[in-house]
Amino acid sequence: MVVAASAVVVVASAAGTMTALGEDGADDRRAARHDAPRTDPSAAGSAGSPLPSPSVSSATPSGSPSPSASPSPSATRKPRAAAPARLYHHPESQVLDWVRDHPDDPRRAVVESRIASRPAAVWFADYAPETLTSRVRAVTSGAAAQGRVPVLVAYAIPDRDCGGASEGGAPDLDAYAGWIDRFAAGLGSRETIVILEPDSIAQTGCLSADRRDARLAALARAGRVLRAANPKARVYYDAGHSHWNSPAHQAALLRQAGAASSAGVFSNVSNFRRTADEIVYDRQVLDLLGGPPGLGAVVDTSRNGNGAPADGEWCDPDGRTIGRAPTLDTGEPRIDGYLWVKLPGESDGCKGAAGEFSPAYAYELASSS
């Protein structure tokens, strides 16, 4: 089976934050499980404590597109202008907590400079609607005060991870609609990036046809609600990764989920696929998706510095490194950003509890690059 990409475990009821640094160009860590049986992280991190980013869980195998030697038509289009603001570095995360609490640890300097100092996504993966709006608003207002762009991950779709390691989410789609309404209410009015439900589209193979259609309709509604609440919100939809579903199959699902009316797609969340492969794949998906020429893609480069393991291992595999640093200025047509969605050092469940920060794992990723 092809492993899904996100494996996050909910660690707290507040909005989870992840800060990371990446400078290596190869990205391979988005979903720790896209090449293995896929498990969705139960997002660990929340308001006060950062939610761990997802790892990959398994999905139906998909033919991975072979990278084309020549650029796709989209590659010739004029790149979108670089965002005027820098990415927001949220002051709360598991790695920052560890750095503050271990001033004398010999690994501290490397972990702090190469991971903790970098902007990363903030996960909202627990179903706690009563506090959701205030937690989202705390992040967006903090970013607005600094004139920077926050990256938020909405991760509460029902049947999340198809019952895998990251199972959880809202109890049903009606509850999910209310959760999204509350999430949207905290978005403010400034530029914000929303990573909408990692693995939710690429992993629909585990659902019956009726449940799949209902999920895609719920995601289409979610995109409309988020954009209506904040027209400057850039909502990106799940494109899986380059070794999961074929571009044509993924584009068809994305179209049904309303992605052609969004900012575009994201790929490689919590996985380890190389950035170059993701760029080729994402452009193929965007070409097949259709929609306005401004649609773009963002790639999770948090752990893909050495690419994916040859054996397809998805759970905290050895020999991985952090990837390219987070940025909204990639220099690549239709690639809007390299983001750290999965925070390096947050375990997929093998070098620590799923979603929890492992200083040993973080040091391995940071010192190997």
Side-chain angles (χ1 to χ4, degrees), residues 104-168:
D104 300 323
D105 192 297
R107 301 166 296 185
R108 182 180 183 274
V110 170
V111 172
E112 180 177 23
S113 64
R114 308 214 65 202
I115 295 178
S117 66
R118 303 295 175 160
V122 179
W123 288 74
F124 295 83
D126 55 330
Y127 183 69
E130 65 284 353
T131 62
L132 182 60
T133 299
S134 62
R135 291 187 283 125
V136 172
R137 184 178 294 123
V139 177
T140 57
S141 61
Q146 296 181 17
R148 298 189 180 187
V149 180
V151 179
L152 311 180
V153 181
Y155 192 61
I157 197 77
D159 298 315
R160 186 175 65 198
D161 196 26
C162 296
S166 296
E167 64 181 333

Side-chain angles (χ1 to χ4, degrees), residues 318-336:
D318 292 329
R320 303 311 98 198
T321 68
I322 54 179
R324 295 183 182 179
T327 180
L328 296 179
D329 186 7
T330 68
E332 290 282 351
R334 302 199 85 181
I335 304 302
D336 296 344

Side-chain angles (χ1 to χ4, degrees), residues 228-243:
N230 179 2
K232 291 185 179 179
R234 293 160 57 179
V235 182
Y236 291 90
Y237 279 72
D238 172 39
H241 63 67
S242 59
H243 282 63

